[in-house]
Amino acid sequence: MTTMQTDPRPLFRAALDRVADLIEGTAPDRFDAPTPCPEFDVNSLIGHIVGTVDRGRVIGEGGDPLTVPDIVTDSEDWIATLRAAADRYWTVWDDDAMLDTPVTAPWGTFPGRAAILIALNEALVHGWDLAVATGQSAEADPELAAAALGIMQVALPAEPRGGPIPFGAVVESAADAGPTERLANWSGRVSAPWR
């Protein structure tokens, strides 16, 4: 099955469940901690993940995702906020026709399944960021992460990167890196200081 025949929705659901588990496992004193994504601390990283989900809903609706904040900042219960954003997302993306419907995001127009693949990568890589920043297990389910890595190695080529392609250069993975760390490295994330 090729990348553009894959239904990425089950993978994205699993990735969102993983993020919810990581939020639940975050100690209250870790919300101000730095993360491997230098522009975010733990709290703003979680808010960014929620914002990404909500922007994905707007993309599926044919709206302008830039009308949705990149970082949600007003939550007292991040798990409930994430789940509410996911519920809104799935009202759009549970429709099978959306997989092949052209959608437009700031970086181009492409089939809906590609938008879900981008969201999957965001959830798993930022989940990895959240896990290592909060001292939790950094590896998602190996089958989930390996599937996402295989898809992203096709959907997100090693070159070009930067500019309109908002990913850093591929980082060489450690010999013992698991598939989630390898996905983070493929997405340009340096993992050495966080191992």
Side-chain angles (χ1 to χ4, degrees):
M1 184 175 286
T2 68
T3 300
M4 294 320 292
Q5 294 173 324
T6 300
D7 182 350
R9 293 175 298 181
L11 298 173
F12 187 42
R13 285 183 192 278
L16 289 176
D17 287 343
R18 166 142 169 91
V19 169
D21 290 344
L22 290 168
I23 295 169
E24 186 172 30
T26 299
D29 65 349
R30 299 298 298 162
F31 280 87
D32 292 331
T35 73
C37 193
E39 54 266 40
F40 301 123
D41 64 10
V42 167
N43 195 61
S44 61
L45 176 67
I46 295 169
H48 173 65
I49 295 168
V50 173
T52 298
V53 173
D54 219 24
R55 282 183 169 199
R57 170 190 56 84
V58 173
I59 288 169
E61 292 173 339
D64 179 359
L66 299 180
T67 62
V68 178
D70 183 44
I71 304 171
V72 173
T73 59
D74 57 357
S75 178
E76 306 227 350
D77 181 344
W78 279 122
I79 296 172
T81 301
L82 175 64
R83 295 216 185 273
D87 287 346
R88 291 188 302 271
Y89 181 94
W90 293 118
T91 63
V92 175
W93 290 101
D94 272 340
D95 180 356
D96 290 348
M98 288 300 299
L99 294 175
D100 297 312
T101 298
V103 297
T104 300
W107 52 89
T109 299
F110 36 77
R113 75 183 72 237
I116 301 170
L117 289 169
I118 292 165
L120 168 64
N121 189 64
E122 283 279 304
L124 283 174
V125 172
H126 283 317
W128 181 85
D129 293 333
L130 178 58
V132 298
T134 59
Q136 299 182 68
S137 174
E139 286 297 318
D141 174 87
E143 288 184 22
L144 169 63
L149 176 60
I151 290 166
M152 292 311 295
Q153 285 176 328
V154 174
L156 177 64
E159 294 181 356
R161 296 287 179 96
I165 310 295
F167 293 89
V170 174
V171 174
E172 185 174 348
S173 297
D176 63 345
T180 310
E181 183 176 346
R182 289 181 186 281
L183 177 63
N185 297 150
W186 185 262
S187 298
R189 191 72 82 248
V190 176
S191 56
W194 299 93
R195 295 188 106 235

PDB file of all heavy atoms in Angstrom, residues 133-155:
ATOM      1  N   ALA A 133      10.787  15.564  27.722  1.00  0.00           N
ATOM      2  CA  ALA A 133      10.838  16.753  28.580  1.00  0.00           C
ATOM      3  C   ALA A 133      10.266  16.483  29.963  1.00  0.00           C
ATOM      4  O   ALA A 133      10.615  17.176  30.921  1.00  0.00           O
ATOM      5  CB  ALA A 133      10.075  17.902  27.926  1.00  0.00           C
ATOM      6  N   THR A 134       9.405  15.481  30.068  1.00  0.00           N
ATOM      7  CA  THR A 134       8.744  15.204  31.342  1.00  0.00           C
ATOM      8  C   THR A 134       9.194  13.894  31.969  1.00  0.00           C
ATOM      9  O   THR A 134       8.624  13.448  32.957  1.00  0.00           O
ATOM     10  CB  THR A 134       7.218  15.195  31.158  1.00  0.00           C
ATOM     11  OG1 THR A 134       6.846  14.193  30.194  1.00  0.00           O
ATOM     12  CG2 THR A 134       6.710  16.559  30.726  1.00  0.00           C
ATOM     13  N   GLY A 135      10.221  13.276  31.394  1.00  0.00           N
ATOM     14  CA  GLY A 135      10.784  12.065  31.988  1.00  0.00           C
ATOM     15  C   GLY A 135       9.926  10.825  31.813  1.00  0.00           C
ATOM     16  O   GLY A 135      10.015   9.887  32.610  1.00  0.00           O
ATOM     17  N   GLN A 136       9.114  10.784  30.759  1.00  0.00           N
ATOM     18  CA  GLN A 136       8.282   9.616  30.503  1.00  0.00           C
ATOM     19  C   GLN A 136       8.896   8.792  29.372  1.00  0.00           C
ATOM     20  O   GLN A 136       9.835   9.225  28.715  1.00  0.00           O
ATOM     21  CB  GLN A 136       6.870  10.070  30.120  1.00  0.00           C
ATOM     22  CG  GLN A 136       6.195  10.877  31.233  1.00  0.00           C
ATOM     23  CD  GLN A 136       4.792  11.265  30.861  1.00  0.00           C
ATOM     24  OE1 GLN A 136       3.912  10.399  30.748  1.00  0.00           O
ATOM     25  NE2 GLN A 136       4.559  12.565  30.671  1.00  0.00           N
ATOM     26  N   SER A 137       8.348   7.613  29.169  1.00  0.00           N
ATOM     27  CA  SER A 137       8.847   6.750  28.102  1.00  0.00           C
ATOM     28  C   SER A 137       8.695   7.458  26.764  1.00  0.00           C
ATOM     29  O   SER A 137       7.593   7.854  26.373  1.00  0.00           O
ATOM     30  CB  SER A 137       8.084   5.426  28.075  1.00  0.00           C
ATOM     31  OG  SER A 137       8.484   4.661  26.959  1.00  0.00           O
ATOM     32  N   ALA A 138       9.803   7.635  26.063  1.00  0.00           N
ATOM     33  CA  ALA A 138       9.798   8.424  24.832  1.00  0.00           C
ATOM     34  C   ALA A 138       9.277   7.652  23.632  1.00  0.00           C
ATOM     35  O   ALA A 138       8.941   8.252  22.617  1.00  0.00           O
ATOM     36  CB  ALA A 138      11.202   8.946  24.544  1.00  0.00           C
ATOM     37  N   GLU A 139       9.207   6.344  23.730  1.00  0.00           N
ATOM     38  CA  GLU A 139       8.799   5.546  22.578  1.00  0.00           C
ATOM     39  C   GLU A 139       7.299   5.255  22.617  1.00  0.00           C
ATOM     40  O   GLU A 139       6.782   4.723  23.590  1.00  0.00           O
ATOM     41  CB  GLU A 139       9.580   4.235  22.531  1.00  0.00           C
ATOM     42  CG  GLU A 139      11.020   4.412  22.093  1.00  0.00           C
ATOM     43  CD  GLU A 139      11.149   4.939  20.661  1.00  0.00           C
ATOM     44  OE1 GLU A 139      10.408   4.491  19.772  1.00  0.00           O
ATOM     45  OE2 GLU A 139      12.021   5.807  20.439  1.00  0.00           O
ATOM     46  N   ALA A 140       6.628   5.630  21.531  1.00  0.00           N
ATOM     47  CA  ALA A 140       5.231   5.253  21.340  1.00  0.00           C
ATOM     48  C   ALA A 140       5.179   3.767  20.999  1.00  0.00           C
ATOM     49  O   ALA A 140       6.220   3.096  20.893  1.00  0.00           O
ATOM     50  CB  ALA A 140       4.626   6.085  20.213  1.00  0.00           C
ATOM     51  N   ASP A 141       3.986   3.250  20.798  1.00  0.00           N
ATOM     52  CA  ASP A 141       3.842   1.872  20.353  1.00  0.00           C
ATOM     53  C   ASP A 141       4.738   1.670  19.128  1.00  0.00           C
ATOM     54  O   ASP A 141       4.653   2.441  18.160  1.00  0.00           O
ATOM     55  CB  ASP A 141       2.381   1.603  19.991  1.00  0.00           C
ATOM     56  CG  ASP A 141       2.195   0.233  19.389  1.00  0.00           C
ATOM     57  OD1 ASP A 141       2.008  -0.729  20.150  1.00  0.00           O
ATOM     58  OD2 ASP A 141       2.247   0.124  18.139  1.00  0.00           O
ATOM     59  N   PRO A 142       5.629   0.666  19.154  1.00  0.00           N
ATOM     60  CA  PRO A 142       6.594   0.509  18.062  1.00  0.00           C
ATOM     61  C   PRO A 142       5.950   0.355  16.685  1.00  0.00           C
ATOM     62  O   PRO A 142       6.461   0.889  15.697  1.00  0.00           O
ATOM     63  CB  PRO A 142       7.382  -0.744  18.441  1.00  0.00           C
ATOM     64  CG  PRO A 142       7.207  -0.891  19.903  1.00  0.00           C
ATOM     65  CD  PRO A 142       5.861  -0.321  20.223  1.00  0.00           C
ATOM     66  N   GLU A 143       4.820  -0.350  16.591  1.00  0.00           N
ATOM     67  CA  GLU A 143       4.161  -0.515  15.292  1.00  0.00           C
ATOM     68  C   GLU A 143       3.613   0.810  14.790  1.00  0.00           C
ATOM     69  O   GLU A 143       3.708   1.119  13.597  1.00  0.00           O
ATOM     70  CB  GLU A 143       3.059  -1.566  15.389  1.00  0.00           C
ATOM     71  CG  GLU A 143       3.596  -2.977  15.526  1.00  0.00           C
ATOM     72  CD  GLU A 143       2.494  -4.024  15.518  1.00  0.00           C
ATOM     73  OE1 GLU A 143       1.377  -3.737  15.008  1.00  0.00           O
ATOM     74  OE2 GLU A 143       2.742  -5.122  16.018  1.00  0.00           O
ATOM     75  N   LEU A 144       3.037   1.611  15.696  1.00  0.00           N
ATOM     76  CA  LEU A 144       2.525   2.925  15.324  1.00  0.00           C
ATOM     77  C   LEU A 144       3.657   3.811  14.822  1.00  0.00           C
ATOM     78  O   LEU A 144       3.571   4.417  13.753  1.00  0.00           O
ATOM     79  CB  LEU A 144       1.825   3.578  16.527  1.00  0.00           C
ATOM     80  CG  LEU A 144       1.453   5.054  16.389  1.00  0.00           C
ATOM     81  CD1 LEU A 144       0.439   5.263  15.275  1.00  0.00           C
ATOM     82  CD2 LEU A 144       0.920   5.586  17.720  1.00  0.00           C
ATOM     83  N   ALA A 145       4.729   3.898  15.600  1.00  0.00           N
ATOM     84  CA  ALA A 145       5.844   4.776  15.231  1.00  0.00           C
ATOM     85  C   ALA A 145       6.535   4.294  13.958  1.00  0.00           C
ATOM     86  O   ALA A 145       6.901   5.108  13.097  1.00  0.00           O
ATOM     87  CB  ALA A 145       6.841   4.859  16.380  1.00  0.00           C
ATOM     88  N   ALA A 146       6.709   2.981  13.811  1.00  0.00           N
ATOM     89  CA  ALA A 146       7.359   2.455  12.610  1.00  0.00           C
ATOM     90  C   ALA A 146       6.498   2.727  11.374  1.00  0.00           C
ATOM     91  O   ALA A 146       7.028   3.080  10.308  1.00  0.00           O
ATOM     92  CB  ALA A 146       7.627   0.957  12.761  1.00  0.00           C
ATOM     93  N   ALA A 147       5.187   2.585  11.504  1.00  0.00           N
ATOM     94  CA  ALA A 147       4.302   2.881  10.371  1.00  0.00           C
ATOM     95  C   ALA A 147       4.395   4.354   9.999  1.00  0.00           C
ATOM     96  O   ALA A 147       4.510   4.705   8.813  1.00  0.00           O
ATOM     97  CB  ALA A 147       2.859   2.501  10.708  1.00  0.00           C
ATOM     98  N   ALA A 148       4.365   5.218  10.997  1.00  0.00           N
ATOM     99  CA  ALA A 148       4.462   6.657  10.729  1.00  0.00           C
ATOM    100  C   ALA A 148       5.809   7.001  10.112  1.00  0.00           C
ATOM    101  O   ALA A 148       5.886   7.804   9.175  1.00  0.00           O
ATOM    102  CB  ALA A 148       4.239   7.451  12.015  1.00  0.00           C
ATOM    103  N   LEU A 149       6.883   6.398  10.612  1.00  0.00           N
ATOM    104  CA  LEU A 149       8.209   6.658  10.063  1.00  0.00           C
ATOM    105  C   LEU A 149       8.274   6.246   8.592  1.00  0.00           C
ATOM    106  O   LEU A 149       8.768   6.995   7.741  1.00  0.00           O
ATOM    107  CB  LEU A 149       9.280   5.937  10.872  1.00  0.00           C
ATOM    108  CG  LEU A 149      10.719   6.048  10.354  1.00  0.00           C
ATOM    109  CD1 LEU A 149      11.183   7.498  10.304  1.00  0.00           C
ATOM    110  CD2 LEU A 149      11.664   5.219  11.232  1.00  0.00           C
ATOM    111  N   GLY A 150       7.772   5.067   8.274  1.00  0.00           N
ATOM    112  CA  GLY A 150       7.781   4.609   6.885  1.00  0.00           C
ATOM    113  C   GLY A 150       7.007   5.547   5.975  1.00  0.00           C
ATOM    114  O   GLY A 150       7.443   5.855   4.863  1.00  0.00           O
ATOM    115  N   ILE A 151       5.865   6.018   6.450  1.00  0.00           N
ATOM    116  CA  ILE A 151       5.060   6.949   5.665  1.00  0.00           C
ATOM    117  C   ILE A 151       5.800   8.268   5.483  1.00  0.00           C
ATOM    118  O   ILE A 151       5.884   8.817   4.384  1.00  0.00           O
ATOM    119  CB  ILE A 151       3.693   7.176   6.340  1.00  0.00           C
ATOM    120  CG1 ILE A 151       2.838   5.905   6.244  1.00  0.00           C
ATOM    121  CG2 ILE A 151       2.966   8.364   5.722  1.00  0.00           C
ATOM    122  CD1 ILE A 151       1.626   5.910   7.148  1.00  0.00           C
ATOM    123  N   MET A 152       6.362   8.801   6.571  1.00  0.00           N
ATOM    124  CA  MET A 152       6.989  10.118   6.507  1.00  0.00           C
ATOM    125  C   MET A 152       8.279  10.101   5.697  1.00  0.00           C
ATOM    126  O   MET A 152       8.643  11.105   5.089  1.00  0.00           O
ATOM    127  CB  MET A 152       7.239  10.679   7.905  1.00  0.00           C
ATOM    128  CG  MET A 152       5.961  11.026   8.666  1.00  0.00           C
ATOM    129  SD  MET A 152       4.752  12.018   7.723  1.00  0.00           S
ATOM    130  CE  MET A 152       5.662  13.540   7.514  1.00  0.00           C
ATOM    131  N   GLN A 153       8.970   8.971   5.654  1.00  0.00           N
ATOM    132  CA  GLN A 153      10.177   8.907   4.838  1.00  0.00           C
ATOM    133  C   GLN A 153       9.845   9.021   3.352  1.00  0.00           C
ATOM    134  O   GLN A 153      10.693   9.429   2.563  1.00  0.00           O
ATOM    135  CB  GLN A 153      10.951   7.622   5.139  1.00  0.00           C
ATOM    136  CG  GLN A 153      11.667   7.703   6.467  1.00  0.00           C
ATOM    137  CD  GLN A 153      12.360   6.421   6.860  1.00  0.00           C
ATOM    138  OE1 GLN A 153      11.911   5.323   6.535  1.00  0.00           O
ATOM    139  NE2 GLN A 153      13.459   6.543   7.580  1.00  0.00           N
ATOM    140  N   VAL A 154       8.606   8.704   2.983  1.00  0.00           N
ATOM    141  CA  VAL A 154       8.151   8.894   1.605  1.00  0.00           C
ATOM    142  C   VAL A 154       7.527  10.277   1.445  1.00  0.00           C
ATOM    143  O   VAL A 154       7.827  11.003   0.504  1.00  0.00           O
ATOM    144  CB  VAL A 154       7.136   7.795   1.216  1.00  0.00           C
ATOM    145  CG1 VAL A 154       6.538   8.067  -0.150  1.00  0.00           C
ATOM    146  CG2 VAL A 154       7.790   6.422   1.254  1.00  0.00           C
ATOM    147  N   ALA A 155       6.658  10.651   2.395  1.00  0.00           N
ATOM    148  CA  ALA A 155       5.894  11.899   2.275  1.00  0.00           C
ATOM    149  C   ALA A 155       6.744  13.145   2.541  1.00  0.00           C
ATOM    150  O   ALA A 155       6.453  14.214   2.016  1.00  0.00           O
ATOM    151  CB  ALA A 155       4.708  11.874   3.233  1.00  0.00           C
TER     152      ALA A 155
END
